[in-house]
Amino acid sequence: QKEVEQDPGPLSVPEGAIVSLNCTYSNSAFQYFMWYRQYSRKGPELLMYTYSSGNKEDGRFTAQVDKSSKYISLFIRDSQPSDSATYLCAMGFRDYKLSFGAGTTVTVRA
Amino acid sequence: NAGVTQTPKFQVLKTGQSMTLQCAQDMNHEYMSWYRQDPGMGLRLIHYSVGAGITDQGEVPNGYNVSRSTTEDFPLRLLSAAPSQTSVYFCASSYSGGYTFGSGTRLTVV
């Protein structure tokens, strides 16, 4: 069993829809949780970072962490074609030693 | 401010050859890591460093060596290339709060 399981997708949504992305994990020691966005043939870029349970909001993005269920989510509101990318969840018990999900590819249709 | 710089961007090696992937960061970050990315498997940690002179193995270290003689540089050496090492390699650095990734090196071993 992988330490981090990510819903594989792919997801295709119309512009303006809410995108919901999910990951589960097995290591209860994980306390740092991140979401990265990766455009085709580019390096991942950090979107959200949190180390506590609950919600964190940044503009159109909301990260949700439920440590009791070992489950994290990323919501993208009012999705735009520029949000079309692969989204990677990442987590670890140290924020410099991360385990990544396999990624979910999202396409936002104009 | 260049961030994380990886060279080369593309490389083709013959089985058995050795080479070094270069990584440099100009942000005075303490932590640096090497990941490989393969289709359907996400990012897997090869080696990481928590400071100059300190390195440790990640999830998939076999066939790779690293050293960290300065804060800025963290080269990855392939000892004897194998076709299974065909992948996209990403270097990343962090102080805390999530990694900044380079743009990657696409390596093909034939």
Side-chain angles (χ1 to χ4, degrees):
Chain A
Q1 182 190 4
K2 291 182 183 178
E3 271 193 318
V4 180
E5 298 279 359
Q6 183 168 358
D7 289 352
L11 292 179
S12 179
V13 301
E15 184 175 357
I18 294 175
V19 176
S20 174
L21 303 165
N22 305 297
C23 289
T24 59
Y25 62 96
S26 57
N27 191 336
S28 58
F30 286 166
Q31 54 183 335
Y32 296 92
F33 305 93
M34 304 167 207
W35 285 94
Y36 286 83
R37 177 175 63 195
Q38 186 176 24
Y39 292 114
S40 180
R41 305 182 82 85
K42 300 288 188 183
E45 57 178 323
L46 182 67
L47 273 181
M48 301 288 282
Y49 171 97
T50 184
Y51 53 84
S52 59
S53 281
N55 292 354
K56 181 176 181 180
E57 194 171 310
D58 184 0
R60 297 184 295 112
F61 298 91
T62 299
Q64 192 173 77
V65 174
D66 183 343
K67 289 186 180 179
S68 61
S69 301
K70 299 192 189 70
Y71 187 91
I72 71 170
S73 299
L74 178 71
F75 301 97
I76 307 173
R77 291 184 299 280
D78 187 25
S79 57
Q80 305 295 311
S82 58
D83 294 326
S84 297
T86 296
Y87 291 81
L88 303 161
C89 62
M91 53 197 77
F93 60 88
R94 295 281 187 270
D95 67 353
Y96 55 77
K97 189 178 179 184
L98 301 177
S99 295
F100 281 79
T104 303
T105 298
V106 174
T107 301
V108 181
R109 308 185 306 270
Chain B
N1 190 348
V4 179
T5 302
Q6 290 184 239
T7 56
K9 293 193 183 308
F10 302 93
Q11 183 70 49
V12 179
L13 284 181
K14 292 183 179 178
T15 297
Q17 286 185 317
S18 64
M19 79 160 294
T20 300
L21 307 185
Q22 300 292 343
C23 175
Q25 54 96 2
D26 61 359
M27 298 171 284
N28 200 32
H29 283 170
E30 202 170 359
Y31 309 135
M32 296 186 75
S33 293
W34 277 101
Y35 286 87
R36 61 177 288 174
Q37 187 172 37
D38 302 292
M41 302 191 72
L43 289 156
R44 292 182 292 167
L45 181 62
I46 305 171
H47 286 284
Y48 67 98
S49 169
V50 298
I54 307 170
T55 64
D56 204 351
Q57 296 180 352
E59 180 185 356
V60 288
N62 291 341
Y64 307 95
N65 273 354
V66 292
S67 59
R68 184 113 180 257
S69 56
T70 67
T71 300
E72 294 78 19
D73 299 301
F74 191 43
L76 177 71
R77 183 165 178 80
L78 279 70
L79 307 174
S80 177
S84 61
Q85 294 179 304
T86 293
S87 187
V88 182
Y89 291 84
F90 287 102
C91 179
S93 74
S94 168
Y95 178 72
S96 69
Y99 271 109
T100 299
F101 280 83
S103 57
T105 295
R106 292 185 173 271
L107 176 68
T108 302
V109 182
V110 298

